Amino acid sequence: MACFVVACTPLHGHVTPLLGIMAELTRRGHDVIGCTGRRFAGEVTGVGAQFVPLPDEADYDDRRVEAVFGGSRPDGRLRRINADISRLLADPLPAQHRLLGRLVDDWAPAAVLVDTTFLGAFTWRSVQTTPRPPLAVANITFLALRGRGVPPPGPGFRPAPGLGGGTRDLLVRAVTDRLLVRGGLLRLDRAAREVTGRTVPGLLFDGPRLADLVLVLTVPSFEYPRSDLPPSVRFVGPVEPPVRAVRTPSWWPDLDGSRRVVHVTQGTMDTTDLGVLVAPTLRALADEDLLVVATTGGRPPEAVPGPLPPNARVARYLPYANLLPLVDVMVTNGGYGGVQQALAAGVPLVVAGSGEDKPEVAARVAHSGAGIDLRTGRPRPAALRSAVARVLSDGRYRNRARALRDEMAAYGGARLAVDHLEVLAGAGQAVAGGR
């Protein structure tokens, strides 16, 4: 058996799939050192791993992420993007870099696994000159690696063929790098120089190219077609988080199949204002012969602004393994993990996302044919009502969601991810099919 170090930024949507991989590693008898935020300590030890907390400089509570920004997260998409890159990705980088060095010295792991946003792993990898363990990355969001025929990540554009598409992509990349995220990239460069003494190009989007293995937690049909992916990239399908006990609310028997069910969520991080998507969806569908089930990502149901319509049901959290098989349409802000779980259950989507990776996730939902991208983070009730009605009435969305479900089931998720990790660590056989 081998030892694996698994390190992750302290974001719920990033930690949960890595918990699934850690659980599979420990099930196979491997030793796992799990390093992330202190609030996840119980979940890490719960899957059989040994917990190591992130240093204070790299730890924060994503339920109260405003505290990272001095009490108020910046308004406006441009300011927020640069602030997020600076405070959530660049500032923790030096501590992450140094932490990995200590963990490797202390535990001599056979391999290291990090999530895509643990950028200190890429600076650590870039300066290794002595024998080192191989580095693997769990790609916990859309595949941001730049390449031919793929729009630059960020704005949520879909591929455009021909000379016009290529010209558009060149212009968008120039604008993105030189204007839209310039402040964040400069902060990243300073953080990298602090620990390496030089620039490490491409950290934000192309950092995974420095890894020996990139595990993409979806299937090819959800991503844009690409001809130039590095051989280190392996699709494994969604990784289900470990099942945890979540008490079902008193109204759970209402989900008896007598009415179609629409589920609406703003995920677990963007929950400060539930009037962005949850409340508008409840209003939009108030007069429809549907049951509308909302989750608040941990906030009390009373945080949903306005009176609840009679057909609305609200809970802080719900067990997706039980809920999603009962859902006909999911309305979401585009959180990657939730989208993958919905598609793994064959549920079509309506996506209204802005900020972080959400426009890119929404664009891929539309590209896959499994849902509608509303191309805004603050949709009007009329737009929501129309989109939900369209998904319910047009069987093509359901058919595409079910096709993705079947493709995902064929990949294996955590089992396939660990197969690849064992090969990387020299503790397993070559993976059949070369996925």
Side-chain angles (χ1 to χ4, degrees), residues 22 25 33 35 56 83 96 111-112 123 131 145 149 188 197 212 214 223 262 265 269 280-281 283 330 346 350 361:
M22 284 191 273
L25 283 166
I33 313 303
C35 180
D56 290 342
Q96 294 169 351
V112 173
T123 57
L145 294 177
L188 270 177
D212 302 284
V214 181
E223 276 292 344
V262 176
T265 175
M269 184 173 171
T281 302
R283 290 198 303 271
M330 179 169 165
V350 172
V361 176

Side-chain angles (χ1 to χ4, degrees), residues 254-269:
D254 294 346
L255 302 174
D256 58 5
S258 60
R259 284 187 285 179
R260 290 183 292 184
V261 176
V262 176
H263 171 48
V264 58
T265 175
Q266 287 180 212
T268 56
M269 184 173 171

Side-chain angles (χ1 to χ4, degrees), residues 54-414:
L54 289 170
D56 290 342
E57 311 94 288
D59 197 1
Y60 47 83
D61 190 333
D62 62 342
R63 298 167 298 183
R64 292 179 286 274
V65 72
E66 289 78 10
V68 181
F69 301 93
S72 178
R73 201 174 178 193
D75 292 325
R77 188 177 178 207
L78 180 58
R79 292 181 61 211
R80 176 167 290 194
I81 288 172
N82 281 279
D84 284 355
I85 295 171
S86 297
R87 302 303 297 274
L88 302 181
L89 301 182
D91 287 358
L93 184 154
Q96 294 169 351
H97 176 107
R98 297 181 182 110
L99 171 70
L100 277 186
R102 292 196 299 271
L103 290 175
V104 168
D105 289 344
D106 290 345
W107 296 97
V112 173
L113 172 67
V114 300
D115 77 286
T116 324
T117 58
F118 203 90
L119 302 186
F122 307 135
T123 57
W124 170 79
R125 169 68 179 83
S126 72
V127 296
Q128 297 306 302
T129 56
T130 58
R132 60 170 181 82
L135 174 65
V137 177
N139 198 87
I140 45 73
T141 183
F142 72 97
L143 190 56
L145 294 177
R146 290 166 163 168
R148 292 191 301 271
V150 181
F157 290 147
R158 292 167 65 180
L163 180 61
T167 302
R168 180 205 67 179
D169 292 348
L170 287 173
L171 290 173
V172 170
R173 177 169 180 172
V175 170
T176 299
D177 289 356
R178 297 176 188 175
L179 296 176
L180 298 185
V181 297
R182 180 171 174 78
L185 293 179
L186 289 173
R187 188 80 157 255
L188 270 177
D189 185 58
R190 288 198 297 272
R193 286 178 179 275
E194 178 182 329
V195 289
T196 67
R198 57 184 175 80
T199 297
V200 182
L203 278 177
L204 184 59
F205 298 123
D206 287 327
R209 290 184 184 277
L210 292 168
D212 302 284
L213 173 66
V214 181
L215 301 170
V216 184
L217 308 188
T218 188
V219 291
S221 294
F222 184 75
E223 276 292 344
Y224 300 144
R226 309 179 63 135
S227 60
D228 59 347
L229 283 178
S232 58
V233 173
R234 293 287 186 271
F235 287 87
V236 300
V239 172
E240 294 290 329
V243 177
R244 63 171 183 164
V246 178
R247 181 179 299 177
T248 55
S250 60
W251 49 258
W252 188 262
D254 294 346
L255 302 174
D256 58 5
S258 60
R259 284 187 285 179
R260 290 183 292 184
V261 176
V262 176
H263 171 48
V264 58
T265 175
Q266 287 180 212
T268 56
M269 184 173 171
D270 293 329
T271 60
T272 303
D273 180 5
L274 294 173
V276 171
L277 183 58
V278 171
T281 302
L282 298 183
R283 290 198 303 271
L285 304 177
D287 298 324
E288 303 296 322
D289 185 22
L290 302 165
L291 199 63
V292 187
V293 176
T295 50
T296 63
R299 300 201 65 198
E302 299 77 33
V304 179
L308 294 181
N311 67 341
R313 305 291 186 271
V314 183
R316 291 173 183 260
Y317 299 104
L318 289 170
Y320 268 13
N322 302 105
L323 175 65
L324 290 176
L326 308 176
V327 171
D328 295 278
V329 180
M330 179 169 165
V331 180
T332 172
N333 67 341
Y336 188 82
V339 164
Q340 296 303 309
Q341 286 183 269
L343 293 175
V347 178
L349 299 139
V350 172
V351 189
S354 64
E356 297 96 30
D357 58 349
K358 294 174 177 61
E360 293 291 342
V361 176
R364 282 159 174 79
V365 167
H367 167 78
S368 73
I372 293 174
D373 175 8
L374 292 179
R375 297 192 63 80
T376 177
R378 290 184 173 271
R380 296 177 181 274
L384 287 161
R385 187 183 309 113
S386 175
V388 169
R390 184 175 163 193
V391 172
L392 286 172
S393 63
D394 189 338
R396 288 176 294 182
Y397 296 107
R398 171 69 67 177
N399 291 340
R400 282 299 302 145
R402 288 176 173 173
L404 282 165
R405 174 198 63 192
D406 295 344
E407 184 179 352
M408 289 172 172
Y411 270 71

